[in-house]
Amino acid sequence: MNLHEELMERLAHRRSAQLGGLSPAAYAELLLTVRESPSSYVDDPHDQAFMQLVDAVDRVLRSRDDDEFRDDESFMEERTQRMARFGRDCAQALAVAPDSIHARLLRILASDYEPDRQLDELLELDRSVDAELGPMTLPESGDAWTDVFLRGRLRIKAALSRTCLDSARYRMANDYGQALIADSPCDALGARHTCALSLARLEDEEGFEALDARFDRRGDSWQQLGRTILFYKLGRMPAARRALMGFANLCEGGPYALLRPVMVDTYLPDRPAAEPYSFAEVTLAVHEADPVVCDVPDFCAWAEQQANFGDQARIFAERNGFGW
């Protein structure tokens, strides 16, 4: 998600409202002007806090660039310091706007709580925001994402859904994800991905297929992996093998990602963008599926035993200089 562009939209929408509303053409001109000098348009503490958070997230992302060259000890030391700095940045943003939804959410994510504690914190934040602001009213478009000022509330729901999945609360994860999709049918935050994995673990084939159809069956790594897990859990092994073959053939490096999963750092606040079926995407999908895979302990061993799956993983590793 492009937080820089979101900041521009916030500033332009707020100035447009101050001016009594602008025509689409006039708003487009205003947005161009805001992009040239955004700080000139910051006259609300919530926007000031959001700008500080955008800069803080940028610093975190830049500091991750060298992580692949660190050994485990130096990586963990650097990561601990990085998240502590980010937590302080969130506190500074909260000093500017104590009710900033994004600052409150990001401070929770920066704290690196174990999943149960994080879920408690997110639930309390969700309740507090609902009490402060009341029920969320959808804009005329019918999609809350089109209102830039509602996105913080949507991000809380997305974080809740992912944290429920992390803590093996699969039905709750699906419920929060489906509620998020109802509020924002464009699903810019990818709630469908969390739902797909949750429904697979719940062995809910009807729900899984309905979700797939709702998004016009446009595939991705979560759908392919989830479908494989679903059929494996249901004991429909021919279908599971076909789904696994699809996962291996469609997802770049899918076999390697599944058999040699890597750590993916905390989403701040959103899942990183990735091309469908790319290695970057399948790495995210496997990372998010870890609680599900751990609940199905024979799944990876079964996958590795299927024809050519292990060989595909090894060949991908050798071609790309990865360990095997």
Side-chain angles (χ1 to χ4, degrees):
M1 205 63 58
N2 188 336
L3 292 179
H4 285 273
E5 183 58 26
E6 190 165 323
L7 173 62
M8 302 304 111
E9 291 181 37
R10 287 175 63 97
L11 297 176
H13 277 294
R14 202 179 298 279
R15 182 56 58 92
S16 176
Q18 292 169 354
L19 296 172
L22 300 174
S23 68
Y27 175 80
E29 288 293 329
L30 173 62
L31 186 58
L32 289 173
T33 305
V34 169
R35 289 194 183 109
E36 292 175 1
S37 180
S39 59
S40 301
Y41 290 84
V42 177
D43 54 13
D44 183 281
H46 296 89
D47 292 336
Q48 177 62 47
F50 193 85
M51 177 178 280
Q52 292 177 210
L53 292 170
V54 171
D55 290 342
V57 169
D58 275 352
R59 285 192 291 273
V60 171
L61 297 181
R62 286 195 303 270
S63 71
R64 289 177 178 175
D65 289 344
D66 295 329
D67 280 353
E68 62 182 299
F69 304 110
R70 305 180 195 276
D71 59 33
D72 289 349
E73 183 178 354
S74 63
F75 166 75
M76 291 307 299
E77 181 179 352
E78 167 57 28
R79 185 182 182 281
T80 299
Q81 295 175 359
R82 173 192 303 156
M83 297 305 279
R85 287 193 299 269
F86 186 68
R88 292 193 293 272
D89 288 335
C90 292
Q92 290 176 1
L94 283 168
V96 173
D99 57 346
S100 166
I101 293 174
H102 281 99
R104 293 151 79 185
L105 171 61
L106 284 166
R107 185 170 65 173
I108 293 171
L109 300 180
S111 298
D112 264 350
Y113 296 130
E114 47 81 27
D116 287 345
R117 169 77 183 279
Q118 179 164 301
L119 180 59
D120 287 342
E121 296 284 336
L122 289 171
L123 287 169
E124 177 56 33
L125 174 60
D126 191 42
R127 286 191 291 266
S128 297
V129 171
D130 284 349
E132 293 163 11
L133 301 178
M136 186 165 58
T137 302
L138 297 184
E140 291 183 5
S141 67
D143 193 318
W145 188 256
T146 61
D147 184 337
V148 71
F149 298 110
L150 292 179
R151 292 181 184 178
R153 301 183 75 170
L154 297 178
R155 287 186 168 111
I156 293 174
K157 304 293 186 188
L160 275 167
S161 183
R162 291 195 302 266
T163 304
C164 286
L165 179 63
D166 285 343
S167 58
R169 293 173 170 88
Y170 303 114
R171 200 165 299 283
M172 281 182 67
N174 182 61
D175 288 346
Y176 274 112
Q178 297 284 358
L180 179 54
I181 292 169
D183 286 338
S184 178
C186 77
D187 194 31
L189 295 175
R192 64 190 182 278
H193 305 321
T194 311
C195 289
L197 296 176
S198 300
L199 290 165
R201 177 61 183 84
L202 292 168
E203 302 177 33
D204 185 349
E205 184 177 5
E206 182 179 350
F208 188 95
E209 294 297 344
L211 179 71
D212 197 15
R214 181 170 189 167
F215 289 95
D216 301 322
R217 301 196 183 279
R218 59 177 189 265
D220 54 52
S221 300
W222 291 269
Q223 284 294 120
Q224 288 298 139
L225 180 57
R227 189 177 297 280
T228 307
I229 293 170
L230 173 65
F231 288 145
Y232 180 84
K233 286 281 295 170
L234 291 172
R236 289 161 51 185
M237 304 317 291
R241 283 190 288 271
R242 288 192 296 272
L244 183 70
M245 184 180 300
F247 173 77
N249 292 336
L250 288 170
C251 302
E252 179 189 359
Y256 177 81
L258 182 62
L259 299 180
R260 296 291 187 273
V262 298
M263 176 184 173
V264 175
D265 216 337
T266 306
Y267 298 165
L268 297 175
D270 305 324
R271 178 186 289 108
E275 290 296 319
Y277 298 121
S278 65
F279 182 62
E281 186 193 74
V282 75
T283 298
L284 295 175
V286 169
H287 164 72
E288 293 177 32
D290 182 65
V292 178
V293 172
C294 289
D295 272 358
V296 191
D298 297 331
F299 176 72
C300 286
W302 166 81
E304 190 167 11
Q305 292 168 2
Q306 303 311 302
N308 301 320
F309 195 82
D311 289 339
Q312 286 177 273
R314 177 182 52 79
I315 291 169
F316 181 84
E318 292 172 350
R319 286 178 177 170
N320 291 275
F322 298 149
W324 183 249

